[in-house]
Amino acid sequence: GEADRATPTASRCPWASGDALYQAYHDTEWGVPLHDDRRLFEMLILEGAQAGLSWITILRKRDAYRKAFDVFDAAKIAKYGDAKVARLLADAGIVRNRMKIEGTVESARAYLAIEDFSAYMWNFVDGVPLQNNFSSMKQVPGKTILAEKVSKDLKQRGFKFCGPTIVYAFMQACGL
């Protein structure tokens, strides 16, 4: 396998220090195996929204994203038209990037075509979280061969903003 399977350590990653919101996210969410379809979809969209920005920026906007995107109800998002996209582009609470917003709509449509998104995602790791054993942040890659495989599959299904770096961050965040 790509990594040893083991129990994660309880220590906090260096990237999560200094900001209470970051620390709470790290300590209660990040790396915890996530199996809820809607939450997995939300995390994939938020990771894509983060492209070119810092994760703390997206974390601070997460509640606004949930409100703006109907609590990540993919069936609703898939029906967004030009008027809704225009309203989203005017929403200062989210990243106002047309490609990312339209990409979310396209990704919602792709998501709806997958019967069980959680099973689809967890199948890539045979249902068991991969645990890397890096001794320093310098060893952590920006992407992996597995993330490249998942990214390619997602893109073939019509998902947007899901390159291998985004997918690797998503997989880490969701405990895959």
Side-chain angles (χ1 to χ4, degrees):
E2 192 170 275
D4 295 324
R5 296 178 192 270
T7 305
T9 62
S11 61
R12 184 177 291 143
C13 298
W15 57 260
S17 61
D19 184 286
L21 182 61
Y22 236 168
Q23 290 174 359
Y25 168 75
H26 176 278
D27 295 353
T28 63
E29 294 181 61
W30 185 83
V32 176
L34 185 58
H35 294 276
D36 178 85
D37 282 3
R38 187 200 54 80
R39 290 274 295 120
L40 284 164
F41 175 66
E42 173 183 336
M43 287 303 295
L44 185 61
I45 296 303
L46 291 176
E47 289 288 355
Q50 184 265 327
L53 305 168
S54 67
W55 180 243
I56 192 63
T57 298
I58 300 304
L59 208 50
R60 289 179 179 139
K61 294 178 176 284
R62 182 164 59 171
D63 287 340
Y65 265 95
R66 287 174 174 160
K67 182 178 178 188
F69 285 95
D70 292 296
V71 198
F72 291 95
D73 181 334
K76 289 181 181 179
I77 295 169
K79 295 177 184 172
Y80 288 1
D82 292 341
K84 177 65 174 185
V85 169
R87 284 193 302 276
L88 290 168
L89 284 167
D91 188 338
I94 66 169
V95 176
R96 295 177 288 181
N97 175 299
R98 179 177 295 278
M99 288 176 51
K100 289 180 181 180
I101 291 169
E102 290 175 348
T104 298
V105 176
E106 291 179 55
S107 292
R109 293 174 183 150
Y111 167 88
L112 291 172
I114 299 172
E115 187 174 328
D116 184 339
F117 192 66
S118 177
Y120 162 75
M121 290 307 308
W122 281 94
N123 186 55
F124 286 105
V125 294
D126 297 326
V128 181
L130 298 176
Q131 178 63 46
N132 292 306
N133 292 304
F134 300 120
S135 58
S136 75
M137 289 298 293
K138 291 178 185 176
Q139 293 178 326
V140 180
K143 61 184 177 182
T144 64
I145 293 169
L146 178 59
E148 289 173 355
K149 176 183 175 183
V150 175
S151 170
K152 182 178 179 181
D153 197 83
L154 286 166
K155 287 177 181 179
Q156 287 174 343
R157 292 171 182 270
F159 285 84
K160 304 297 179 191
F161 287 91
C162 59
T165 302
I166 290 168
V167 168
Y168 186 48
F170 161 79
M171 291 176 72
Q172 291 178 72
C174 297
L176 291 154

